[in-house]
Amino acid sequence: MLILNKNSDNFFIRLTMAVGIFLSLLASHNPLAYGQTAGDGGTRGLFLGAGARALALGNANVALANDAFGILFNPAGLDYIEKKSVSLYYSSLIVGSSYNFVGLVYPTPTIGSFGFAWARIGTGDVVEYDVDGTKGSIFDFSQSLFMFSYAKQLKSNFSAGLSIKLQTMDFSLANRSDAGFGADLGLMYRPEFDSGMLRDLAFGLNIQNIITPNARLVDDTEAISPLNFKLGLAKPIRFGEERNAITLLFDFNKSFFENRSAPAMYNVGAEYSFHDNAMLRVGLNDGVIAFGAGAAYSNFHFDYNFGKMFDAADFSANHRFSITIDIGKGKTELQRIAQERRDREIRLKVDNELWFSRETEFNTNMEDGRKKYYGNDYLGAYVDFNRAFDAAQTLVDVAMRLRGENTDDIEANMRVETANTSVQEAQTLLELANTKSDSARDAAFRKIAMDTEQTTIENELRDFILQQRDKGNAFFKSGLFSRALTEWQLALDRITQNQGNHLPGWVDEVKLQLENDIQMAEKQVEGSLKEALRRADALTRRGDYVQALNELNNLRVTG
C-alpha cells in the first residue's frame, strides 16, 4: 500500500512520487527485470520475457523461441512454428501487482508467419492517505505492450523477424497516459552441420527497442524501454529415440539507456524432453535458480515454473503457469496439401489438353482410314485405324482419371462413354481392314504363284519377293515400320539387281507396289517419331518421367 500526502500543494510532485515508487517497485522486484539493482536502475526494460517455460529455463530462450512467447524473446523464431497457436500466461508479483500475457501466432505455408502479443504489468487499488491518516483516492498504475510481429525463413536454416510495438503507460490518479512506438529486430540461424556434436545447433539474435518507445507521463518525454541486445545459443542432444532429447540453452544480455549501461547478464537453461510429451527444466537467471516442468497432450501444452526469480528479501518464490493451444493443421502439412492441389491442377490441365489432342488425333485417323479403306488401300487403312484405336484407348484412360471417384459427374460420365464408343468403332474398322488386307495379299500371291515358271532365277526371285512382302506386312501391322521398310527395301533391291534379265510380267506391278509401300512406311516412321516425342512431352508435363523415358526408349525398339 502506498501513502501519498493529500495536502501537498503541488499535485505533480505527488504524481512523480507515485510513478517513481511504482517503477522502483518493479525495478527492484519484477522477475522480468533480470536482477536490476540500484546501480543499474532504469537501464533494463520491464517486458523482456514471459511464459512459465522460459522462466523455468532462466529466460534463456533467444535461440529457441518456438511458441508465441517467442514474440518477446526473438520474433525470427516464429517462422519455425508449425501450427497456429495461442499462448496465455499470468503471474502475481508483489504488493498486488500482476503480469498478464496473451500471444497469437499465425504461420502460413508460403509468405511467412505473423504474431500478435499483448502484455501488461500493473498494480491497482493503491490508496492515498494524508498525514492524519485520512483515506483519499484509490488509483492504479500500469504499463502495457502491444506487439505485431512478422518472420520469414529467407533460407531453410536462416530466418529474420521484425516486431512493431506500442508501449503505453497509464496513471489513473492523474487521469494521464501516454504511449510510444518501438521496434525489435530478430535473426535466427540453424547451420546444417552433419557432425553429431554440432548437429541441430541454433543461434539467435534479438535487438530489442532498436526503435526506442518514448512517452511522457508528467513533464518530459523520455524513453520508457532501453536498447537491449540478446544473443542466444541452443543445442539439443538426442539419445535413444529421436524424440528424447536434452536441450541446453545459453543467453547473453546487454542493455543501454542514454549514457548508461547495465552489467552484462547471462542466462542458462536445460530441458529434458521425453517423447515430446513430458519435460523437466532447470535454469539460472543471472545466478538465480529456477525449476519447472511441462506436459503436452494433443494440441495442448501446459508449462509450470516455481522459483524465486529475484534475490531480494521481500520477494518470495511462487508458482507460475502458462498454456499454449495449437490450432488446425501444421505448416508442413498445409504445404503438402497445397502442393498436392497444385499437382492435381497441373494434371487436370494436362489431361484436358491430352483429351482434346487425342480426340482430334482419333477423328483425323478415322477419316484418313476410311478414305484409304474405300480406295482399296487396306494396309494403309489398317495403320490409320490402329492409330485411332491407340488414341481411343488413351481417351478411356484420360476420361477415367478425370472422373476419378466422382461417378455422379454427368460430363465426366459422358466422356467415359464417348471414349468407350470410340474404342469399339476403331476396333471394328481395324479388324475389317486387317481382313481385307490379308485377302488382297493372298490374291496377289496366288496370281504371282500361278505365273509360268521359266528359269531358276525367276523362281528364286518370286520366292524371295513373296517372303519379304510377307515379313514386311507383318512388321507394318505390328507398328514396326522401320523393320517393315527394311524388308520391303530388300525385295525392291533384288528386283533392281535383276533388271538386266528377262523377268516375268508381274514384276513391274510388284515393284510399283513395293515403292508405294516403302513411301508409306517412311511416312509412318516420321509420324511415329513425332507421336512418341509428343507423348513423352505430355508425360513429362504430368510429372511421369519414367513413362516418358519409356516412350523414347520404344523408338529404339521399333528402329
Side-chain angles (χ1 to χ4, degrees):
M1 181 180 296
L2 302 181
I3 302 176
L4 299 181
N5 185 355
K6 190 177 180 181
N7 295 326
S8 172
D9 294 331
N10 192 333
F11 172 79
F12 289 107
I13 293 178
R14 291 186 289 136
L15 176 61
T16 304
M17 184 186 302
V19 174
I21 292 173
F22 179 73
L23 291 178
S24 298
L25 174 71
L26 292 179
S28 299
H29 303 290
N30 182 10
L32 300 176
Y34 293 88
Q36 186 165 297
T37 64
D40 58 11
T43 58
R44 293 192 177 124
L46 298 179
F47 301 103
L48 295 179
R53 182 192 186 193
L55 293 174
L57 293 172
N59 270 327
N61 200 32
V62 178
L64 194 61
N66 56 0
D67 54 25
F69 297 110
I71 295 174
L72 287 175
F73 286 98
N74 190 352
L78 296 182
D79 208 31
Y80 291 106
I81 297 176
E82 275 290 308
K83 294 185 177 182
K84 297 182 285 291
S85 62
V86 179
S87 294
L88 306 172
Y89 169 72
Y90 171 82
S91 176
S92 61
L93 303 178
I94 59 173
V95 198
S97 302
S98 63
Y99 182 25
N100 303 274
F101 179 92
V102 177
L104 308 173
V105 176
Y106 192 97
T108 69
T110 55
I111 63 173
S113 298
F114 300 87
F116 172 79
W118 168 77
R120 180 183 181 275
I121 296 177
T123 187
D125 298 330
V126 180
V127 181
E128 179 188 28
Y129 288 87
D130 61 17
V131 294
D132 299 325
T134 303
K135 183 177 180 180
S137 303
I138 299 176
F139 64 94
D140 54 52
F141 182 85
S142 67
Q143 285 197 36
S144 296
L145 182 66
F146 302 88
M147 301 184 70
F148 177 80
S149 303
Y150 172 75
K152 182 74 172 69
Q153 293 185 43
L154 305 179
K155 293 184 178 180
S156 61
N157 63 347
F158 179 75
S159 67
L162 178 68
S163 292
I164 304 300
K165 55 189 183 181
L166 173 68
Q167 189 165 345
T168 66
M169 300 177 66
D170 296 282
F171 186 56
S172 64
L173 180 63
N175 195 24
R176 297 289 296 272
S177 64
D178 202 1
F181 285 95
D184 297 346
L185 176 65
L187 300 173
M188 188 170 287
Y189 176 54
R190 297 178 173 181
E192 298 174 351
F193 295 129
D194 294 329
S195 170
M197 291 299 296
L198 299 178
R199 189 163 63 98
D200 298 329
L201 197 65
F203 299 92
L205 168 66
N206 187 20
I207 306 175
Q208 293 180 307
N209 304 310
I210 192 170
I211 299 177
T212 304
N214 297 304
R216 182 179 66 181
L217 191 59
V218 183
D219 293 323
D220 299 325
T221 299
E222 295 183 356
I224 53 179
S225 289
L227 176 65
N228 187 57
F229 291 87
K230 299 166 70 73
L231 292 172
L233 171 68
K235 175 63 177 81
I237 301 174
R238 305 187 186 280
F239 56 92
E241 299 183 18
E242 280 292 309
R243 296 173 65 190
N244 296 334
I246 294 178
T247 302
L248 304 178
L249 301 113
F250 174 80
D251 279 11
F252 167 82
N253 290 268
K254 184 69 173 177
S255 295
F256 299 90
F257 185 79
E258 295 180 349
N259 296 323
R260 294 174 293 166
S261 66
M265 283 186 49
Y266 302 93
N267 308 91
V268 181
E271 177 184 72
Y272 168 69
S273 175
F274 178 75
H275 282 205
D276 294 334
N277 292 324
M279 285 71 68
L280 294 175
R281 305 178 181 113
V282 63
L284 285 173
N285 182 6
D286 202 29
V288 181
I289 194 167
F291 302 94
Y297 177 76
S298 184
N299 290 328
F300 296 88
H301 304 265
F302 304 94
D303 295 299
Y304 164 76
N305 161 243
F306 176 79
K308 182 179 179 180
M309 299 303 295
F310 181 72
D311 190 15
D314 54 352
F315 196 97
S316 60
N318 65 346
H319 305 276
R320 301 175 180 86
F321 299 90
S322 60
I323 181 173
T324 295
I325 305 171
D326 294 332
I327 303 170
K329 295 180 174 62
K331 183 167 63 173
T332 301
E333 184 177 2
L334 291 175
Q335 289 172 337
R336 178 185 58 80
I337 293 173
Q339 183 61 47
E340 290 178 352
R341 183 173 62 251
R342 288 192 294 270
D343 291 342
R344 284 196 301 270
E345 291 173 353
I346 292 173
R347 288 195 297 267
L348 178 62
K349 180 181 179 180
V350 171
D351 279 340
N352 276 312
E353 292 176 354
L354 182 58
W355 169 271
F356 292 115
S357 172
R358 297 298 268 174
E359 186 178 40
T360 301
E361 182 182 345
F362 171 81
N363 293 330
T364 301
N365 282 291
M366 289 294 287
E367 183 179 355
D368 292 344
R370 289 190 181 95
K371 289 179 180 179
K372 293 176 182 177
Y373 182 85
Y374 294 119
N376 298 327
D377 183 5
Y378 302 118
L379 190 59
Y382 178 92
V383 172
D384 288 333
F385 291 145
N386 193 38
R387 289 187 180 278
F389 180 74
D390 289 342
Q393 287 184 313
T394 303
L395 289 178
V396 173
D397 295 338
V398 173
M400 295 298 292
R401 284 199 301 268
L402 290 173
R403 185 177 68 175
E405 298 179 358
N406 187 11
T407 56
D408 296 329
D409 190 328
I410 297 176
E411 182 179 354
N413 288 332
M414 289 180 62
R415 281 189 173 184
V416 173
E417 185 177 350
T418 299
N420 288 326
T421 302
S422 299
V423 169
Q424 295 173 2
E425 181 183 3
Q427 188 173 19
T428 300
L429 292 176
L430 180 63
E431 292 173 354
L432 286 174
N434 186 45
T435 301
K436 286 287 187 179
S437 176
D438 290 345
S439 299
R441 182 199 61 187
D442 292 342
F445 287 176
R446 284 194 299 271
K447 180 180 179 181
I448 295 173
M450 290 173 62
D451 210 2
T452 304
E453 299 180 9
Q454 297 180 357
T455 66
T456 303
I457 293 177
E458 292 174 1
N459 195 34
E460 292 177 353
L461 178 63
R462 180 198 64 189
D463 292 342
F464 181 78
I465 291 174
L466 292 177
Q467 181 182 6
Q468 294 306 116
R469 285 198 62 181
D470 191 31
K471 287 182 179 180
N473 287 351
F475 284 134
F476 195 86
K477 288 183 179 181
S478 300
L480 304 176
F481 304 118
S482 293
R483 299 185 66 179
L485 191 153
T486 300
E487 301 298 335
W488 290 335
Q489 187 65 49
L490 288 173
L492 183 61
D493 291 344
R494 178 66 67 88
I495 292 175
T496 303
Q497 292 170 5
N498 288 273
Q499 287 287 0
N501 301 321
H502 177 71
L503 297 177
W506 54 262
V507 169
D508 292 336
E509 181 181 351
V510 171
K511 180 181 178 182
L512 179 62
Q513 183 62 49
L514 286 171
E515 291 173 345
N516 291 334
D517 288 345
I518 289 172
Q519 290 179 359
M520 181 171 59
E522 289 174 343
K523 291 181 179 179
Q524 296 300 334
V525 169
E526 183 180 358
S528 296
L529 175 60
K530 292 180 178 179
E531 175 63 14
L533 293 174
R534 186 194 65 77
R535 291 184 183 181
D537 179 64
L539 290 167
T540 300
R541 286 186 288 142
R542 286 182 56 197
D544 195 350
Y545 304 111
V546 175
Q547 189 60 34
L549 287 174
N550 289 337
E551 286 287 341
L552 297 178
N553 286 331
N554 286 337
L555 293 178
R556 296 182 180 181
V557 177
T558 59

